[in-house]
Amino acid sequence: MGCFFSKRRKAEESRPESEEEQPKQYSWDQREKVDPKDYMFSGLKDETVGRLPGKVAGQQFLIQDCENCNIYIFDHSATITIDDCTNCIIFLGPVKGSVFFRNCRDCKCTLACQQFRVRDCRKLEVFLCCATQPIIESSTNIKFGCFQWYYPELAFQFKDAGLSIFNNTWSNIHDFTPVSGELNWSLLPEDAAVQDYVPVPTTEELKAVRVSTEANKSIVPISRGQRQKTSDESCLVVLFAGDYTIANARKLIDEMVGKHFFLVQTKEVSMKPEDAQRVFREKAPDFLPLLNKGPVIALEFNGDGAVEGCQHIVNEIFNGTKMFVSENKEKASGDVDSFYNFADIQMGI
């Protein structure tokens, strides 16, 4: 009986040189190589540049040392850092992590992200969707408005970035370095049109993205945020998870705004039974079975007659759809405070 190993050795010795054993191929060896230059705009001047949907696909991106440029990132990304840019117009699609501006001035921007931070900047105008509290540091003359933008791929990019269009704290700014008697940030005029700040691109390549800056088409609902309320009467509406929840929320917003009520703020968050007891009080048993289906969407409307107006629309258009609507204007303020206090604590705001 021959030795197994001696047979294998003889076979290896008799193998032609052209058939030498090739190194093993692993899945990570076969991944497409990432060229950092594809995820960077650096040292540009007087140019219009961008990335089309699908070209960034969740990678990190860097923008630095650009002057008098129009920059459009029509895709979702991991993080984006903008350093040392002057007099630039910038659009950033949904960013899963942070957007960080450093040492920039005279820039106009529209962007959506999980975290937003500005340091050592001056004179930025930002139309923002941010899931957490925006932060400025050692910066002056920073102005904020609500994100207002649409193109067909944008809704899917929000999902890919793990962002909700209803979680937007664009106006709840924290200044790490406040100066006594001065305000380093402010809100843009309520009638500010994003097109006047961040216009739609006109180059042939970027025109392929079908952009709209019309307010009623914005993928993110346009809210008043921290602006002074026009009325003492607010109304809370909570929609529960289902196949048409987002569509119903959008329809309700359109109907209420069409009747001249104001959308103050929105939130998408998971609720526990104890949260429901605190917010819905005696009505909680009606809604507890719905909490397991997924996060709820909450909307706050403001204006004289908001509670009655909202109840009428819900009964007329959404009859048969389970929603919580403030019962009367006396209770409505407490409803709003109870819900958003719990939601902000849960989201760490």
Side-chain angles (χ1 to χ4, degrees), residues 81-129:
T81 303
I82 302 99
D83 287 337
D84 303 296
C85 290
T86 302
N87 197 34
C88 289
I89 289 171
I90 300 173
F91 172 83
L92 305 178
V95 181
K96 185 174 185 177
S98 64
V99 171
F100 198 177
F101 282 81
R102 299 183 294 197
N103 197 34
C104 296
R105 61 183 178 87
D106 297 298
C107 292
K108 297 176 174 63
C109 318
T110 299
L111 61 101
C113 60
Q114 176 73 19
Q115 298 176 327
F116 178 81
R117 188 165 183 178
V118 170
R119 191 177 72 196
D120 299 319
C121 295
R122 64 182 177 88
K123 199 177 179 184
L124 303 185
E125 293 165 325
V126 185
F127 289 83
L128 179 64
C129 177

Side-chain angles (χ1 to χ4, degrees), residues 10-305:
K10 288 179 181 179
E12 288 175 352
E13 289 173 354
S14 62
R15 182 184 299 155
E17 290 186 9
S18 59
E19 295 182 9
E20 286 186 4
E21 187 175 354
Q22 297 297 314
K24 287 186 177 181
Q25 289 288 315
Y26 297 96
S27 59
W28 51 83
D29 293 324
Q30 300 172 20
R31 290 176 184 169
E32 187 175 347
K33 300 300 182 183
V34 173
D35 186 345
K37 292 180 181 178
D38 292 335
Y39 305 97
M40 174 189 303
F41 291 129
S42 180
L44 304 180
K45 185 174 182 180
D46 302 320
E47 292 191 45
T48 295
V49 294
R51 290 288 184 267
L52 294 173
K55 295 300 183 182
V56 179
Q59 296 290 335
Q60 297 182 17
F61 209 95
L62 172 64
I63 302 170
Q64 63 183 8
D65 299 311
C66 294
E67 182 179 354
N68 300 325
C69 289
N70 294 359
I71 299 170
Y72 300 87
I73 308 296
F74 289 123
D75 205 0
H76 69 101
S77 55
T79 62
I80 296 185
T81 303
I82 302 99
D83 287 337
D84 303 296
C85 290
T86 302
N87 197 34
C88 289
I89 289 171
I90 300 173
F91 172 83
L92 305 178
V95 181
K96 185 174 185 177
S98 64
V99 171
F100 198 177
F101 282 81
R102 299 183 294 197
N103 197 34
C104 296
R105 61 183 178 87
D106 297 298
C107 292
K108 297 176 174 63
C109 318
T110 299
L111 61 101
C113 60
Q114 176 73 19
Q115 298 176 327
F116 178 81
R117 188 165 183 178
V118 170
R119 191 177 72 196
D120 299 319
C121 295
R122 64 182 177 88
K123 199 177 179 184
L124 303 185
E125 293 165 325
V126 185
F127 289 83
L128 179 64
C129 177
C130 186
T132 57
Q133 187 173 31
I135 292 172
I136 69 169
E137 181 180 0
S138 303
S139 300
T140 58
N141 200 13
I142 314 298
K143 298 181 179 181
F144 294 90
C146 183
F147 183 100
Q148 182 177 320
W149 204 268
Y150 168 84
Y151 53 89
E153 299 86 353
L154 189 53
F156 296 104
Q157 293 172 3
F158 264 86
K159 284 189 175 182
D160 288 338
L163 300 178
S164 168
I165 61 174
F166 296 103
N167 289 335
N168 186 9
T169 62
W170 67 270
S171 62
N172 186 19
I173 315 301
H174 179 69
D175 186 353
F176 263 130
T177 53
V179 178
S180 180
E182 298 181 18
L183 191 60
N184 292 321
W185 65 272
S186 61
L187 302 184
L188 288 163
E190 192 163 4
D191 60 355
V194 67
Q195 174 68 21
D196 296 335
Y197 296 79
V198 184
V200 173
T202 56
T203 61
E204 285 303 315
E205 178 191 24
L206 298 177
K207 277 167 62 177
V209 182
R210 293 182 289 130
V211 174
S212 173
T213 59
E214 294 179 27
N216 63 347
K217 291 185 177 180
S218 176
I219 196 73
V220 174
I222 299 174
S223 59
R224 300 192 77 236
Q226 302 280 320
R227 299 184 194 277
Q228 183 69 37
K229 293 181 179 179
T230 61
S231 169
D232 291 334
E233 183 176 345
S234 286
C235 179
L236 176 70
V237 182
V238 179
L239 298 89
F240 298 89
D243 293 337
Y244 305 104
T245 308
I246 293 176
N248 287 341
R250 287 190 166 282
K251 177 65 175 174
L252 181 56
I253 292 169
D254 289 343
E255 292 290 332
M256 288 291 285
V257 172
K259 294 186 181 301
H260 308 293
F261 296 108
F262 295 98
L263 179 65
V264 176
Q265 58 181 330
T266 65
K267 195 76 71 179
E268 183 173 11
V269 66
S270 296
M271 293 188 79
K272 299 177 181 177
E274 55 267 33
D275 302 322
Q277 295 285 355
R278 188 162 53 250
V279 175
F280 305 136
R281 297 185 292 276
E282 67 274 8
K283 291 186 176 181
D286 295 339
F287 302 116
L288 288 176
L290 304 175
L291 300 182
N292 294 329
K293 294 184 178 181
V296 302
I297 294 174
L299 313 172
E300 179 191 353
F301 296 102
N302 182 259
D304 293 340

Side-chain angles (χ1 to χ4, degrees), residues 236 278-279 281 329-339 341:
L236 176 70
R278 188 162 53 250
V279 175
R281 297 185 292 276
K329 64 180 182 181
E330 287 75 23
K331 291 184 177 181
S333 179
D335 294 340
V336 170
D337 290 343
S338 295
F339 183 88
N341 285 343

